[in-house]
């Protein structure tokens, strides 16, 4: 994959370049801020962009605003926000808005390089990958709606794990059930959320949007 990095920390930027190149990816650019981001994306046409939330000059929300701008200008471009913070002002808009694949991972919670590289691969292939803490913080501030009330506790747990970008196999492992049971839960979730099969067949993303927009329960792993 051809990847563009926008990260102000010199050490982290260099570390990401080395890590991704060693994993077989090509780095099209490694930028210290978002000043030249739009022009660089146009010039290099990356397959994925990785951005920090807080970038110079104010170190507040430049990165996430740049991510929103990229998603409007390049709707199919996958974007991974990699940050120490959940920027709630823009995070919901970034995740639920129209655009390509999206990821939001917290730096301090990335504990395994293999998992991080796998997350990048999934985002590049079109998946939504969200840190559970990001999901929890966003959901704590969202109202519920009728559709979410239809779900059982176990179905809500499955939907939360879907929202984190987990595969059926990973959900089964987290909840200590079979993959067949997970498939049945997901089918029921789609039915209860009134999600008809669309042309792309991507009802998991639609379910995630409902989950993030209207609220739900945190994953009850081990329940």
């Amino acid at each position: 994959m051809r990847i563009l990095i926008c990260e102000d920390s010199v050490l982290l930027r260099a570390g990401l370049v080395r890590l991704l190149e060693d994993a077989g990816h090509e780095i099209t650019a490694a930028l210290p801020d978002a000043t030249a981001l739009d022009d660089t994306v146009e010039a290099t046409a990356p397959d994925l962009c990785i951005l920090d939330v807080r970038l110079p000059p104010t170190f507040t929300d430049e990165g996430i605003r740049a991510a929103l701008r990229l998603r409007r200008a390049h709707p199919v471009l996958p974007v991974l926000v990699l940050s120490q913070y959940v920027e709630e002002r823009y995070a919901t808009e970034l995740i639920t808005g129209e655009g390509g694949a999206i990821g939001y991972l917290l730096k301090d919670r990335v504990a395994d390089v293999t998992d991080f590289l796998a997350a990048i691969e999934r985002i590049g292939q079109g998946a939504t990958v969200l840190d559970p803490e990001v999901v929890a913080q966003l959901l704590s501030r969202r109202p519920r709606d009728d559709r979410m009330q239809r779900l059982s506790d176990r179905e809500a747990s499955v939907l939360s794990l879907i929202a984190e970008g987990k595969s059926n196999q990973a959900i089964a492992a987290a909840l200590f059930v079979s993959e067949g049971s997970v498939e049945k839960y997901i089918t029921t979730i789609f039915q209860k959320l009134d999600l008809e099969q669309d042309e792309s067949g991507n009802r998991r993303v639609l379910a995630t949007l409902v989950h993030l927009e209207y609220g739900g329960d945190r994953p009850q792993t081990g329940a």
Side-chain angles (χ1 to χ4, degrees):
M1 223 177 350
R2 304 177 71 254
I3 300 175
L4 182 150
I5 299 169
C6 189
E7 163 63 56
D8 66 287
S9 168
V10 174
L11 291 178
L12 181 54
R13 189 168 67 248
L16 284 171
V17 170
R18 177 67 179 272
L19 175 66
L20 294 171
E21 286 183 339
D22 286 350
H25 301 292
E26 176 187 348
I27 305 304
T28 64
L31 308 176
D33 56 54
T35 304
L37 177 64
D38 300 82
D39 290 341
T40 306
V41 169
E42 289 285 352
T44 63
D47 301 315
L48 171 73
C49 286
I50 300 176
L51 299 94
D52 189 6
V53 165
R54 301 189 175 185
L55 293 169
T58 69
F59 295 96
T60 55
D61 55 17
E62 284 89 348
I64 200 164
R65 287 192 288 109
L68 284 167
R69 196 167 64 243
L70 283 181
R71 282 171 69 74
R72 287 192 292 266
H74 306 276
V76 300
L77 176 64
V79 173
L80 168 59
V81 173
L82 185 62
S83 180
Q84 292 179 311
Y85 313 93
V86 180
E87 177 49 67
E88 295 172 6
R89 181 180 178 186
Y90 296 107
T92 300
E93 181 183 354
L94 179 70
I95 294 167
T96 62
E98 294 183 2
I102 188 73
Y104 199 131
L105 300 178
L106 299 180
K107 294 177 181 178
D108 291 344
R109 288 169 53 86
V110 176
D112 186 272
V113 169
T114 301
D115 288 346
F116 176 66
L117 292 173
I120 287 177
E121 292 284 355
R122 296 204 308 274
I123 296 166
Q125 293 167 3
T128 296
V129 179
L130 308 175
D131 187 286
E133 185 61 29
V134 173
V135 175
Q137 288 194 38
L138 295 180
L139 293 183
S140 69
R141 290 161 176 78
R142 307 302 298 178
R144 293 177 178 269
D145 92 336
D146 291 343
R147 290 180 294 176
M148 292 300 298
Q149 296 286 3
R150 301 172 190 170
L151 302 184
S152 68
D153 289 344
R154 178 48 61 92
E155 289 160 0
S157 296
V158 171
L159 180 53
S160 286
L161 293 167
I162 290 174
E164 293 167 21
K166 295 191 181 299
S167 66
N168 287 8
Q169 182 180 14
I171 294 172
L175 298 179
F176 301 102
V177 299
S178 69
E179 288 189 54
S181 295
V182 171
E183 291 173 2
K184 291 178 181 177
Y185 285 130
I186 292 174
T187 297
T188 302
I189 289 168
F190 291 158
Q191 292 172 345
K192 289 185 176 181
L193 296 183
D194 300 325
L195 297 177
E196 301 294 335
Q197 183 73 38
D198 63 354
E199 292 182 359
S200 66
N202 208 353
R203 288 186 291 178
R204 293 175 80 97
V205 174
L206 296 176
T208 296
L209 297 185
V210 173
H211 183 70
L212 291 171
E213 185 65 20
Y214 298 112
D217 296 322
R218 295 186 65 172
Q220 299 174 10
T221 54

